[in-house]
Amino acid sequence: MKIFAIGMNYALHNKEMHGTLLKTEEPVIFLKADSSLLKDRKPFFIPDHMGRIEYEAEVVVRICKLGKTVSERFAPRYYDAVTVGIDFTARELQRKLMAQGRPWDLAKGFDGAACIGEWIPKEKFLDVQRLHFHLDINGETVQEGCTSDMLYRIDEIIAYISQFYTLKTGDILFTGTPAGVGPVQIDDHLEGYLEERKVLEVRCK
């Protein structure tokens, strides 16, 4: 199983992080280790040696078919379910690595850093590119977005990734986070919603 993720896919998030509404020339793709997967409402243990850990709520899709060099028009055949996930990020470490011109896998792919909720068949929704989602912490909404605001649509991302990696059943794709990221603390209760349906719940320890 591979865990793909895309960075800088919402303009307002790019502005809050980089001071620009920039759309990158190509999708920014990175991978997380399989040991970073966190599901079934298991707690997220905040690593105490990595500095500030931030949440990044995202829509996540599940790959359901083997594919290579998939054309964009056929991309919908290659995923069958969606959910909300949290791309936990060691922000201080990420910035340090970026400043040094080094890969920032350590800041994104550590254990538990890819939290996902309950899968919902995509047929339950009229259009996956018009999905509203939000993240609550301790009962208050801290981040919200809509997939219509993506700079690169899901089908575009899948077509792009498949030029480099063979897609396999069970692979997971984090599609990017909107503006509003922030830190998590011990005892925080995180809840992710997809079109007002709670699909994700995790407690920080």
Side-chain angles (χ1 to χ4, degrees):
M1 180 199 68
K2 298 183 289 299
I3 303 174
F4 299 105
I6 179 169
M8 301 180 68
N9 202 28
Y10 286 82
L12 292 180
H13 174 62
N14 294 347
K15 185 175 182 179
E16 75 176 348
M17 298 301 295
H18 306 287
T20 175
L21 295 173
L22 170 73
K23 179 179 180 179
T24 56
E25 292 184 7
E26 296 176 326
V28 176
I29 304 297
F30 60 94
L31 281 80
K32 290 173 172 274
D34 58 1
S35 60
S36 68
L37 186 63
L38 183 67
K39 58 182 182 177
D40 301 327
R41 300 191 176 189
K42 292 180 180 177
F44 172 63
F45 290 93
I46 300 175
D48 58 8
H49 64 292
M50 296 181 69
R52 178 185 174 107
I53 305 296
E54 294 190 350
Y55 59 81
E56 295 188 8
E58 314 193 6
V59 167
V60 183
V61 301
R62 181 176 68 191
I63 302 301
C64 65
K65 187 178 180 180
L66 184 72
K68 176 69 175 175
T69 318
V70 177
S71 69
E72 188 178 328
R73 68 189 180 112
F74 292 130
R77 301 180 183 181
Y78 289 82
Y79 59 100
D80 64 352
V82 296
T83 190
V84 171
I86 301 173
D87 168 19
F88 286 113
T89 303
R91 188 68 68 200
E92 294 166 335
L93 176 59
Q94 182 190 33
R95 287 173 175 157
K96 175 182 176 182
L97 293 170
M98 292 176 69
Q100 296 172 345
R102 296 165 57 189
W104 29 271
D105 303 57
L106 292 177
K108 290 280 193 178
F110 57 91
D111 289 352
C115 180
I116 62 170
E118 168 194 357
W119 292 111
I120 306 297
K122 71 175 183 180
E123 289 77 14
K124 297 288 185 181
F125 306 103
L126 291 176
D127 186 352
V128 295
Q129 286 300 157
R130 294 185 180 275
L131 292 177
H132 292 85
F133 61 101
H134 68 274
L135 177 70
D136 291 0
I137 297 183
N138 304 326
E140 294 187 12
T141 299
V142 295
Q143 192 177 17
E144 52 190 330
C146 182
T147 55
S148 63
D149 294 327
M150 287 180 176
L151 298 175
Y152 291 99
R153 295 177 296 107
I154 294 170
D155 295 349
E156 291 180 275
I157 300 167
I158 287 176
Y160 180 79
I161 289 174
S162 70
Q163 297 178 55
F164 306 94
Y165 300 95
T166 298
L167 302 176
K168 294 187 177 181
T169 300
D171 287 349
I172 295 170
L173 170 62
F174 282 71
T175 60
T177 194
V181 303
V184 291
Q185 310 291 340
I186 292 175
D187 294 330
D188 277 349
H189 180 208
L190 284 65
E191 298 170 293
Y193 292 80
L194 191 59
E195 291 290 351
E196 302 309 318
R197 176 172 181 169
K198 184 166 78 170
V199 294
L200 178 148
E201 185 170 6
V202 62
R203 294 183 183 273
C204 296
K205 300 290 187 179

